[in-house]
């Protein structure tokens, strides 16, 4: 027998309850909490959420925008590491994913943008279901948010722009703009426009080939981060039909001895807390929301996946579904930088260089929510192919990619003939978008410092301790739209063991060429008026790297993850190697759905959180159609 309690709080390990629940949500992250909050709006529906991490909403490093990526926030991370990457000099790369109530929205940069309309429309095309295109998703983007329009200061000084027709004002996720803007941002946006980037009326309008100030997932009235926990747990924590279990790692889904209609039926979810195993019975459905790396792990530990792989890991297969863990798109956003010394004295570097300044800024934030720590990233622009390639360079790359389409898909599909067809369909759409100028391969953004506190690789590869004590400007070039595909699988039946993650970074020639072109564009931006007025010499990569081959060689040794992964439980037709259908139900099961970024079948040129919220809102809106068992 298990003792009982209902709501878990803070960092305490709270004791599990004995009740059965209508829905058990595996993972209290971006999507999981969204679904739980929406389902429990019906007082007759009971939901349990099982989360491996703590509730960290009370940490200053979480709720103060300018303290992101510092202090205890760095511990709220699964700490995934890739397998050695053949195209990155054999390096293993760290991949961050939030391990806390709210998931990665607790530790991310709060950038709240949306992608190109045609990229969402590719989801619809691949699934022959227009509800999953831009027009079908826009109502759920809007439903998810409660947007605060920019005030006069944010518009006139910060450069924020806003189109009310694409935003929502009655949702749960607070979004808006910060209270402080660095001068580099304005200078960089103007330099980008001189290089041909149009000014964006709103980076959430589905046409992101532009430059502008990104909205953030923050409470603009209080200048605090609004994570999924802020939006979907704190306001509803007292609901009697909602239970949240913290510091609890799911070990597997338990199946009924008999199938229904030939499909598996999940009867309970097993988890471990403080070394003890517990089980929560399921009345209706199991909703897996453990993220792009975590969700395939849960399925594989439960016996669903490639039978050869999971058998080798010591798990007994119950359903051969070989696409589980495959189709990992390293929309993981491979990240690179061009940094220069700056003539400015006020950059966020001062928080590292001057302890007195850092203390003053912290006190100022607590006093009136102003100062450097009230700033949140970021001004950004989405580069189109024509910003990165010339036609004589791009067309041969596309022609080569089309000629090698099937061979490339076979390489990426890991022996899965259905997925070969699915990847061919994806790559064909991607190449069409490149030809149409809608591929949006790179995010370009400006960093107001070259080393962000304890996470120096965010805006440069040189460790903070090895940098000169100076101020910097960093232009980040982030590969947004990879053609490469990788995979993530368990290698052990131990539920506490991390999966083997192989994003196959830089596995396609177009990805390499785009990223090299992005670094060259970043260098041009540093030297273009008016940003050139604060340029005081290049720091990274350094003037010794000039040719494309030299730049490519440098990048292979330094590029890092930007921590946005998709695709390992792809929403695709079964004949194209899908894992879930358009209702997000796992093929071959009667009552198990996956709702998180892992279902995204095709890369999008945007930070993921707003899209994941929209997916969860859309799925929750169909709750009346969920299967009862």
């Amino acid at each position: 027998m298990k003792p009982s309690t209902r709501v878990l709080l803070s960092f305490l390990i709270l004791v599990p309850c004995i009740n059965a629940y209508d829905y058990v949500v595996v993972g209290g992250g971006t999507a999981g909490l969204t679904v739980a909050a929406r389902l429990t709006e019906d007082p007759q529906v009971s939901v349990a959420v099982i989360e491996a991490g703590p509730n960290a909403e009370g940490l200053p490093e979480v709720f103060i925008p300018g303290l992101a990526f510092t202090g205890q926030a760095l511990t709220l991370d699964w700490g995934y590491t890739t397998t050695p990457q053949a195209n990155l000099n054999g390096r293993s790369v760290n991949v961050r994913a939030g391990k806390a109530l709210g998931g990665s929205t607790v530790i991310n940069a709060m950038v709240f943008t949306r992608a190109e309309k045609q990229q969402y429309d590719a989801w619809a095309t691949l699934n022959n279901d227009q509800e999953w295109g831009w027009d079908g998703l826009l109502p759920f983007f809007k439903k998810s948010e409660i947007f605060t329009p920019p005030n006069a200061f944010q518009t006139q000084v910060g450069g924020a722009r806003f189109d009310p027709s694409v935003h929502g004002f009655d949702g749960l996720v607070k979004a808006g703009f910060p209270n402080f803007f660095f001068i580099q941002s304005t200078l960089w946006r103007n330099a980008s426009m001189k290089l041909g980037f149009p000014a964006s009326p709103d980076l959430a309008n589905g046409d992101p080939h532009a430059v502008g100030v990104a909205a953030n997932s923050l409470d603009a009235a209080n200048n605090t981060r609004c994570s999924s926990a802020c939006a979907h747990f704190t306001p509803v924590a007292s609901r009697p039909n909602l239970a949240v279990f913290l510091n609890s790692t799911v070990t597997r889904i338990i199946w009924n001895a008999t199938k229904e209609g030939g499909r598996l039926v999940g009867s309970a979810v097993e988890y471990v807390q403080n070394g003890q195993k517990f089980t929560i019975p399921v009345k209706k459905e199991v909703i897996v929301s453990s993220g792009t790396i975590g969700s395939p792990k849960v399925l594989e530990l439960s016996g669903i996946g490639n039978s050869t792989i999971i058998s080798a890991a010591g798990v007994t297969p119950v359903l051969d579904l070989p696409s589980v863990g495959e189709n990992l798109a390293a929309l993981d956003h491979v990240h690179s930088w061009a940094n220069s010394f700056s003539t400015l004295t006020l950059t966020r570097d001062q928080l590292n260089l001057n302890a007195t300044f850092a203390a003053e800024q912290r006190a100022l934030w607590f006093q009136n929510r102003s100062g450097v720590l009230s700033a949140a990233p970021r001004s950004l622009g989405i580069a189109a192919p024509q910003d990165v390639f010339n036609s004589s360079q791009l067309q041969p790359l596309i022609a080569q990619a089309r000629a090698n389409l099937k061979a490339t898909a076979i390489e990426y599909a890991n022996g899965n003939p259905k997925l070969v067809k699915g990847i061919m369909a994806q790559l064909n759409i991607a190449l069409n978008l490149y030809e149409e100028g809608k591929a949006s391969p790179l995010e370009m953004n400006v960093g107001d410092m070259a080393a962000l506190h304890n996470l120096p690789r965010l805006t440069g590869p040189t460790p903070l301790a090895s940098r000169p004590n100076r101020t910097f400007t960093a232009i980040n070039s982030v590969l947004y739209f990879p053609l490469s595909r990788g995979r993530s699988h368990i290698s052990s039946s131990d539920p506490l063991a991390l999966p083997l993650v192989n994003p196959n970074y830089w596995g396609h020639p177009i990805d390499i060429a785009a990223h090299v072109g992005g670094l060259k564009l970043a260098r041009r931006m540093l030297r273009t008026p008016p940003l050139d007025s604060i340029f005081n010499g290049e720091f990274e990569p350094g003037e010794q790297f000039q040719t494309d081959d030299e730049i490519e060689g440098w990048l292979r040794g330094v590029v890092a993850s930007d921590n946005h992964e998709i695709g390992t439980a792809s929403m695709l037709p079964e004949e194209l190697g899908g894992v879930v259908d358009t209702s997000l139900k796992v093929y071959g099961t009667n009552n198990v759905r996956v709702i998180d970024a892992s279902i995204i079948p095709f890369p999008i040129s945007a930070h993921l959180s707003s899209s994941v919220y929209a997916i969860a809102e859309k799925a929750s809106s169909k709750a009346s159609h969920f299967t009862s068992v």
Side-chain angles (χ1 to χ4, degrees):
M1 295 292 291
K2 301 186 289 289
S4 70
T5 191
R6 199 189 54 79
V7 178
L8 314 178
L9 302 172
S10 191
F11 283 83
L12 299 175
I13 295 177
L14 287 126
V15 186
C17 72
I18 194 170
N19 297 341
Y21 291 85
D22 293 321
Y23 298 92
V24 176
V25 179
V26 181
T30 311
L33 288 183
T34 306
V35 173
R38 291 304 189 186
L39 288 175
T40 54
E41 289 176 346
D42 182 346
Q44 302 304 311
V45 171
S46 62
V47 176
V49 178
I50 307 174
E51 167 55 42
N55 183 346
E57 287 296 287
L59 284 179
E61 296 95 329
V62 168
F63 63 75
I64 298 177
L67 292 182
F69 313 112
T70 72
Q72 291 187 71
L74 295 174
T75 69
L76 306 173
D77 180 11
W78 279 98
Y80 298 122
T81 302
T82 71
T83 59
Q85 294 297 287
N87 301 307
L88 302 184
N89 298 341
R91 292 185 298 122
S92 293
V93 176
N94 295 328
V95 179
R96 302 187 78 222
K99 188 179 182 181
L101 195 66
S104 292
T105 61
V106 170
I107 64 171
N108 68 5
M110 298 176 285
V111 178
F112 211 61
T113 55
R114 302 173 193 159
E116 188 79 47
K117 294 176 183 178
Q118 286 88 338
Q119 292 173 335
Y120 297 110
D121 288 344
W123 301 2
T125 298
L126 288 165
N127 287 281
N128 194 29
D129 186 341
Q130 293 308 305
E131 287 191 7
W132 283 101
W134 169 262
D135 290 341
L137 286 167
L138 183 57
F140 299 103
F141 279 111
K142 296 167 74 170
K143 181 181 180 181
S144 72
E145 66 183 17
I146 177 168
F147 202 94
T148 301
N151 59 31
F153 168 78
Q154 292 163 337
T155 300
Q156 296 167 14
V157 176
R161 299 292 182 267
F162 166 70
D163 177 358
S165 70
V166 296
H167 287 288
F169 306 95
D170 301 306
L172 300 174
V173 181
K174 296 174 182 176
F177 297 94
N179 293 341
F180 187 93
F181 300 88
F182 289 93
I183 187 62
Q184 287 103 320
S185 295
T186 300
L187 297 175
W188 175 77
R189 290 196 306 274
N190 288 331
S192 298
M193 287 187 279
K194 283 185 179 294
L195 290 171
F197 283 73
S200 175
D202 193 311
L203 286 168
N205 68 356
D207 185 17
H209 174 224
V211 63
V213 178
N216 303 112
S217 51
L218 58 75
D219 180 350
N222 199 37
N223 190 244
T224 49
R225 175 191 295 269
C226 187
S227 69
S228 192
C230 148
H232 302 116
F233 174 70
T234 302
V236 302
S238 62
R239 285 180 181 168
N241 55 337
L242 173 65
V244 175
F245 304 95
L246 299 178
N247 306 294
S248 302
T249 301
V250 167
T251 57
R252 61 177 177 141
I253 301 167
I254 297 173
W255 306 103
N256 274 352
T258 57
K259 297 181 178 180
E260 292 199 4
R263 297 187 296 272
L264 293 171
V265 178
S267 61
V269 174
E270 180 185 87
Y271 67 97
V272 61
Q273 183 192 82
N274 200 26
Q276 288 185 282
K277 280 188 178 179
F278 302 101
T279 301
I280 299 181
V282 177
K283 296 178 183 178
K284 293 185 178 180
E285 293 206 352
V286 178
I287 297 170
V288 181
S289 297
S290 299
T292 297
I293 297 174
S295 285
K297 173 188 171 183
V298 170
L299 293 176
E300 290 180 331
L301 288 172
S302 305
I304 296 179
N306 184 315
S307 295
T308 300
I309 291 172
I310 60 179
S311 294
V315 175
T316 301
V318 297
L319 174 64
D320 188 47
L321 191 60
S323 295
V324 170
E326 298 292 332
N327 200 44
L328 172 62
L331 173 72
D332 195 19
H333 294 178
V334 194
H335 200 130
S336 69
W337 319 260
N339 296 327
S340 71
F341 298 111
S342 174
T343 61
L344 294 175
T345 56
L346 180 57
T347 73
R348 212 174 330 202
D349 293 297
Q350 292 295 340
L351 295 171
N352 296 322
L353 300 174
N354 187 330
T356 300
F357 175 79
E360 290 171 348
Q361 292 302 308
R362 189 180 179 105
L364 189 60
W365 187 89
F366 277 104
Q367 178 183 342
N368 59 20
R369 300 298 193 265
S370 66
V372 170
L373 294 183
S374 70
R378 140 170 348 219
S379 287
L380 60 85
I382 306 300
Q386 59 267 27
D387 299 315
V388 182
F389 302 96
N390 58 50
S391 58
S392 63
Q393 180 187 19
L394 181 59
Q395 289 306 317
L397 285 168
I398 292 176
Q400 179 190 32
R402 291 199 184 281
N404 296 334
L405 192 68
K406 186 171 184 178
T408 301
I410 291 171
E411 176 190 346
Y412 294 165
N414 201 21
N416 182 340
K418 291 182 178 179
L419 188 57
V420 170
K421 297 177 183 178
I423 292 177
M424 287 181 67
Q426 294 174 55
L427 295 182
N428 189 56
I429 294 173
L431 295 173
N432 289 343
L433 291 179
Y434 258 106
E435 290 179 324
E436 296 163 10
K438 293 294 185 179
S440 303
L442 296 162
E443 176 188 307
M444 310 298 296
N445 67 62
V446 62
D448 45 62
M449 57 188 165
L452 186 55
H453 302 284
N454 297 315
L455 200 66
R457 279 187 172 269
L458 187 70
T459 45
T462 302
L464 180 59
S466 302
R467 293 176 178 271
N469 290 333
R470 297 177 61 177
T471 57
F472 296 84
T473 300
I475 307 299
N476 300 282
S477 176
V478 189
L479 183 64
Y480 250 16
F481 191 65
L483 277 67
S484 310
R485 297 292 186 271
R487 58 195 55 88
S488 177
H489 294 293
I490 61 170
S491 62
S492 167
S493 60
D494 179 0
L496 301 182
L498 298 180
L500 295 179
V501 182
N502 178 14
N504 190 28
Y505 292 129
W506 273 28
H508 197 283
I510 289 179
D511 294 352
I512 300 170
H515 219 169
V516 170
L519 188 76
K520 293 163 67 176
L521 176 59
R523 280 176 146 175
R524 292 198 301 274
M525 288 173 168
L526 286 169
R527 293 163 172 82
T528 297
L531 191 60
D532 68 338
S533 64
I534 62 170
F535 180 80
N536 201 18
E538 183 170 297
F539 177 59
E540 293 167 328
E543 299 291 353
Q544 67 271 33
F545 301 101
Q546 290 297 325
T547 69
D548 284 6
D549 287 345
E550 289 168 345
I551 293 169
E552 179 183 322
W554 183 78
L555 287 171
R556 287 185 188 274
V558 301
V559 295
S561 168
D562 206 49
N563 312 304
H564 300 84
E565 307 85 37
I566 66 164
T568 53
S570 285
M571 176 182 65
L572 286 170
E574 198 168 8
E575 62 270 20
L576 294 183
V579 174
V580 301
D581 61 20
T582 54
S583 74
L584 308 188
K585 186 184 293 184
V586 177
Y587 289 114
T589 73
N590 198 55
N591 67 332
V592 177
R593 295 179 204 270
V594 179
I595 304 177
D596 59 27
S598 70
I599 68 96
I600 296 175
F602 185 84
I604 54 173
S605 298
H607 292 247
L608 289 179
S609 62
S610 67
S611 296
V612 174
Y613 283 131
I615 289 167
E617 290 284 7
K618 178 174 174 56
S620 301
S621 75
K622 302 290 187 180
S624 62
H625 303 298
F626 282 8
T627 304
S628 298
V629 294

